[in-house]
Amino acid sequence: MVVEGCRLPVKMSILPNEEEEWPLAEILSRKEEKGKLEFYVHYIDFNKRLDEWVLPDRLRVEELQFPKKDQKTPQKQNSSAANSRPTTPDRELQLSKKLSLPEQSSPAAKLGGQGQTPQSQTKSNAGRKRKAIFLDEKQDLPPAYCNSLLSQDSQDAPATPQPSAPPQQPRQTGSMSSSHDENIITRIKNMETIELGKYRIKPWYFSPYPPELTTISIVYICEFCLKYVKSRKCLERHRTKCTLRHPPGNEIYRKSTISFFEIDGRKNKMYSQNLCLLAKLFLDHKTLYYDTDPFLFYVMTEYDIKGFHIVGFFSKEKESTEDYNVACILTLPPYQRKGYGKLLIEFSYELSKFEGKTGSPEKPLSDLGLLSYRSYWSQTILEILVNLKPENGERPQITINEICELTSIRKEDVISTLQHLNLINYYKGQYIITLSQESIDTHNRAMAKRKIRIDAKCLHWTPKDWAKRGKW
Ligand code: ACO
Ligand code: ZN
């Protein structure tokens, strides 16, 4: 009998290759609909976004493993003892690598860790070393700092009251705090499809939308105020009343069709909560909290004649004791893998530059978050190193602190990136960075592909000192 907690090979709907066609999966739940039995499975070594409902014909029952005696089985609601283990994103990335991943992306390295791939090691050892830069920890540059001009305040989105929100919980950190969710209910995707503007999107994870919306096949979301309704008719009715054609808040950046809006989680509570609910559909490792007051939300949009369409966003604590400059970051799936994630990250560091601070994303990072940050950090740091000019015929010198000040990337992240790229070598008593012509060429090719960039001249923003304001 196949019950919750059992493990067995299950045929995956995405088939990476022969040997992974039937990966080991765990039964998380079962249901019977119209006389048909279905099982909700989690593929053991894959990211939870691949979890799915399957029919019995996809289960290899002859290899069924029952839960071990000392293994706790998943509990129904309110359990904290579900039989859960951390998902390993690497496998899915290996999987997507086979399908479409660029060669170099390896999420295996932990932040601050050694993080060298064997490939990068051999490359740099054998590579033709052309550019050496000395790391000099002696002098520091003044921090990059500038102020901008414009700031207006705006009203809350005219959204009507929403169906019952889940109870408020104390915030730990971040707009969504780090989650080690063992509850079987929240481990199962609860929404089938959402329609947002012109896109129909399949959610990746659980999000605490009202239960009455989880039984319908498509939930319609107003792309401008993010209110959710149960039918197209309701959405049409809503659209006759909803005047928004852009997110609420101040438009603080515009270049070509890309804009950024700054939204205060206290002033635009309804919008911010709806944004968090939407984001949770694609963020697994965070639990959603309803207190949006301590956060600012930076929503990136793309403009056409119909309005400013949401592409992605990041949230940021008004005051972060740990100097986080991003709490949560998301590119909506239809826009992913087109460079928007890096644009959001670049924007977050641009804000930090305006603040005269270094910053770092809130931990833990998701698998895709780590890949994107690694890629951004690598390109940003390499861009500086590649463009360093020799002084008086000497090899160029730069300190780690200077790199931090130029980029607003936190020191630990700079160091881990240099280590990850395997660029640091110890030579005649000092650390030097050695760049091979090959890595310079690879970097230049990657930068040529980065078509959309943040233009600091288009940012009209003055950082606020929230600590001095007394209240958020
Ligand atoms: N597989 C492999 N590589 C990927 C993938 C993927 N599915 N997605 C992005 N990447 C790589 C890209 O190849 C690129 O690197 P490259 O330019 O060196 O090739 C880099 O990551 C960034 O790609 P973008 O196109 O700029 O990023 P995207 O718009 O896809 O957004 C993001 C990245 C925001 C992480 C997106 O995947 C997302 O929203 N994921 C769901 C939510 C999430 O996990 N957010 C991060 C949580 S951590 C935190 O909030 C602090
Ligand atoms: Zn609306």
Side-chain angles (χ1 to χ4, degrees), residues 49 93 96 100-102 104-105 204 282-283 285-286 326-332 335-344 361-373 375 379:
R49 58 184 165 266
L93 288 159
S96 39
S100 60
L101 257 182
Q104 132 274 25
S105 314
W204 295 359
F282 309 101
L283 276 157
H285 63 304
K286 306 266 181 175
V326 163
C328 289
I329 186 163
L330 169 80
T331 304
L332 287 165
Y335 295 95
Q336 284 177 7
R337 312 238 31 205
K338 296 178 170 61
Y340 290 113
K342 246 185 255 176
L343 202 62
L344 285 163
E362 194 179 293
K363 311 300 172 306
L365 294 175
S366 67
D367 55 349
L368 298 177
L370 179 57
L371 269 183
S372 306
Y373 269 95
S375 174
Q379 290 186 350

Side-chain angles (χ1 to χ4, degrees), residues 5-179:
C6 288
R7 290 178 178 198
L8 73 176
V10 177
K11 194 173 166 74
M12 259 183 138
S13 55
I14 301 173
L15 297 178
N17 63 25
E18 296 272 306
E19 91 244 17
E20 272 165 344
E21 200 173 318
W22 292 82
L24 190 66
E26 179 180 326
I27 305 291
L28 292 187
S29 187
R30 29 182 283 159
K31 67 178 180 188
E32 207 173 324
E33 255 173 32
K34 295 177 194 144
K36 265 194 194 157
L37 199 55
E38 282 188 65
F39 297 90
Y40 194 78
V41 298
H42 166 63
Y43 300 99
I44 303 296
D45 284 336
F46 292 82
N47 187 283
K48 259 167 70 179
R49 58 184 165 266
L50 299 181
D51 293 4
E52 56 185 338
W53 285 102
V54 300
L55 292 168
D57 62 351
R58 284 173 53 190
L59 306 182
R60 197 178 271 164
V61 276
E62 43 310 350
E63 290 177 41
L64 187 70
Q65 304 166 13
F66 286 99
K68 293 197 185 89
K69 270 214 178 110
D70 54 350
Q71 215 176 340
K72 293 167 198 149
T73 44
Q75 308 283 304
K76 292 284 179 204
Q77 208 159 5
N78 297 331
S79 153
S80 60
N83 176 22
S84 151
R85 81 209 58 66
T87 51
T88 45
D90 307 20
R91 280 295 289 279
E92 193 204 348
L93 288 159
Q94 279 167 18
L95 175 160
S96 39
K97 219 173 209 170
K98 281 168 198 143
L99 300 173
S100 60
L101 257 182
E103 264 299 293
Q104 132 274 25
S105 314
S106 161
K110 282 247 182 324
L111 281 182
Q114 295 307 306
Q116 300 166 347
T117 58
Q119 196 190 12
S120 69
Q121 259 173 358
T122 42
K123 249 188 208 163
S124 82
N125 290 343
R128 295 155 295 148
K129 290 167 187 173
R130 288 290 158 83
K131 188 156 188 165
I133 299 144
F134 286 91
L135 290 177
D136 180 353
E137 279 303 309
K138 287 191 288 274
Q139 20 116 225
D140 281 341
L141 285 177
Y145 192 87
C146 57
N147 268 332
S148 64
L149 320 164
L150 189 77
S151 174
Q152 305 155 357
D153 282 332
S154 68
Q155 298 301 306
D156 211 333
T160 48
Q162 303 280 287
S164 60
Q168 260 190 329
Q169 300 173 52
R171 189 173 68 87
Q172 293 164 358
T173 171
S175 51
M176 296 180 195
S177 87
S178 165
S179 138

Side-chain angles (χ1 to χ4, degrees), residues 281-411:
L281 292 171
F282 309 101
L283 276 157
D284 173 38
H285 63 304
K286 306 266 181 175
T287 304
L288 186 113
Y289 290 102
Y290 272 76
D291 181 11
T292 57
D293 288 18
F295 293 92
L296 294 166
F297 295 86
Y298 294 93
V299 175
M300 181 168 78
T301 61
E302 204 168 38
Y303 176 79
D304 70 14
I305 45 160
K306 290 190 179 151
F308 294 76
H309 308 277
I310 179 168
V311 171
F313 84 103
F314 64 89
S315 55
K316 177 172 177 167
E317 282 177 289
K318 291 172 182 171
E319 286 180 82
S320 169
T321 46
E322 313 213 37
D323 272 343
Y324 289 135
N325 64 356
V326 163
C328 289
I329 186 163
L330 169 80
T331 304
L332 287 165
Y335 295 95
Q336 284 177 7
R337 312 238 31 205
K338 296 178 170 61
Y340 290 113
K342 246 185 255 176
L343 202 62
L344 285 163
I345 295 173
E346 191 178 1
F347 191 80
S348 72
Y349 281 106
E350 210 52 54
L351 295 186
S352 295
K353 286 184 199 168
F354 269 54
E355 292 170 329
K357 286 184 189 167
T358 60
S360 187
E362 194 179 293
K363 311 300 172 306
L365 294 175
S366 67
D367 55 349
L368 298 177
L370 179 57
L371 269 183
S372 306
Y373 269 95
R374 273 248 171 275
S375 174
Y376 174 80
W377 290 331
S378 302
Q379 290 186 350
T380 308
I381 294 167
L382 279 171
E383 192 64 358
I384 289 177
L385 299 181
V386 163
N387 289 316
L388 280 178
K389 299 275 176 292
E391 284 164 36
N392 311 324
E394 296 274 313
R395 291 185 217 236
Q397 295 210 7
I398 192 161
T399 67
I400 300 268
N401 283 345
E402 282 166 357
I403 298 177
C404 297
E405 282 156 11
L406 288 167
T407 60
S408 275
I409 300 173
R410 203 163 65 183
K411 198 167 183 172

